[in-house]
Amino acid sequence: FPYTTLFRSVIQSGAKNNQLSGSSSAQLVISGNTGYGVLLRGDGTTGNTISGAYIGTGFNSTTAVPNGTGGVRIEDHANLNTIGPNAVISGNTGDGVSIGLTLPTSTAVISNSIKGSYIGLNRDGTAVVPNTGRGIVVNNGASETVIGGSSEADGNFIAGNGGVAILISGAPARPNVSNRLTTVRNNWIGLRRATAGGFPTERAPNGGEGVVVIDGARQVTITGNTITGDADNTATDFPGIRVEGDNTVGSDGPLSLSPTNVATVTISLN
């Protein structure tokens, strides 16, 4: 069946409303590059969608063909971009998806979303194709990021990666652009399906915790997720969720001025 292979894709400098899209009958493969598979960056780079693409694998999605720095990177005031649905971001060297600032003069990276995709697994969610780093990293001034969504279909499968599944970190050196208002909702973390289309019942541990919130990340909501398989042996004993920082408080408590404060983290079942 037909497929298209792209070298590294860079969307930048105000590029708007572009689509990198593939399907089961006409796949889009973005793999084997020395840098990121896809890089979105710069003021006005907005409204772009990456869906149905295989980033870091071959056309069958089960063989790793790594991008050398990571799968997808969104940075430096690239806002309102969407990864998914049906993106496969697996097999990369480094993190599957990372969102944050690179340039010290850039403003926040706002309102990007990752939904309905497979990070560390193949397209059916049945086999592990690990990224060597974390599954998803949201840090350094990324705000209003949504990982998953309000429906079950919006949830991502994040499993088998070399590091933690999801890392949400602030920017201790730049507290004025700290990570705020991240939502993690309706994801499957540390699990895979036994058969295509089946319920995710098989353990597929990531190499660390399910969700980690540290270093000044604020107003984080973690709800409706299934997190397992990440504390698979007594040698590591990783928790499903770790929230760490001085003066960590609930939504009705005081906020510390320390740049390493983690505040207002809401964890619920639904």
Side-chain angles (χ1 to χ4, degrees):
F1 43 81
Y3 66 95
T4 299
T5 301
L6 290 181
F7 294 108
R8 182 187 184 202
S9 179
V10 179
I11 302 173
Q12 63 181 355
S13 302
K16 295 181 174 66
N17 303 324
N18 297 286
Q19 292 192 2
L20 296 176
S21 299
S23 67
S24 59
S25 60
Q27 286 134 355
L28 175 63
V29 178
I30 307 173
S31 301
N33 300 289
T34 57
Y36 293 105
V38 180
L39 174 62
L40 297 95
R41 66 183 177 194
D43 290 346
T45 301
T46 184
N48 301 289
T49 301
I50 304 165
S51 62
Y54 297 173
I55 301 171
T57 75
F59 72 91
N60 61 4
S61 81
T62 60
T63 302
V65 184
N67 294 296
T69 308
V72 179
R73 171 71 176 171
I74 303 175
E75 66 185 27
D76 297 341
H77 209 211
N79 301 329
L80 294 164
N81 300 288
T82 302
I83 300 171
N86 299 318
V88 176
I89 306 171
S90 303
N92 296 286
T93 300
D95 301 324
V97 179
S98 60
I99 303 174
L101 298 178
T102 300
L103 298 174
T105 56
S106 291
T107 53
V109 185
I110 301 172
S111 296
N112 295 288
S113 62
I114 308 161
K115 64 180 184 179
S117 294
Y118 297 91
I119 299 168
L121 298 173
N122 67 349
R123 67 189 175 201
D124 294 318
T126 56
V128 171
V129 190
N131 298 295
T132 63
R134 289 77 56 102
I136 298 173
V137 178
V138 182
N139 65 8
N140 295 338
S143 291
E144 301 177 40
T145 304
V146 178
I147 301 171
S150 58
S151 72
E152 185 174 323
D154 289 334
N156 302 285
F157 281 74
I158 309 164
N161 297 288
V164 303
I166 300 172
L167 173 64
I168 303 167
S169 174
R174 299 184 64 198
N176 59 312
V177 292
S178 184
N179 184 335
R180 295 177 181 271
L181 295 167
T182 300
T183 300
V184 181
R185 187 174 186 186
N186 286 328
N187 300 284
W188 298 91
I189 298 174
L191 288 167
R192 65 174 180 85
R193 295 183 174 112
T195 58
F199 197 75
T201 57
E202 303 296 311
R203 297 172 71 84
N206 294 287
E209 298 91 339
V211 183
V212 175
V213 184
I214 58 173
D215 287 347
R218 296 171 178 246
Q219 295 167 279
V220 177
T221 298
I222 303 168
T223 183
N225 304 280
T226 300
I227 304 174
T228 190
D230 300 294
D232 211 23
N233 61 70
T234 56
T236 52
D237 196 25
F238 298 120
I241 298 172
R242 175 165 64 92
V243 179
E244 182 175 307
D246 66 309
N247 195 28
T248 302
V249 297
S251 59
D252 58 348
L255 298 183
S256 168
L257 296 178
S258 166
T260 58
N261 175 63
V262 179
T264 319
V265 177
T266 303
I267 302 172
S268 63
L269 296 178
N270 50 49

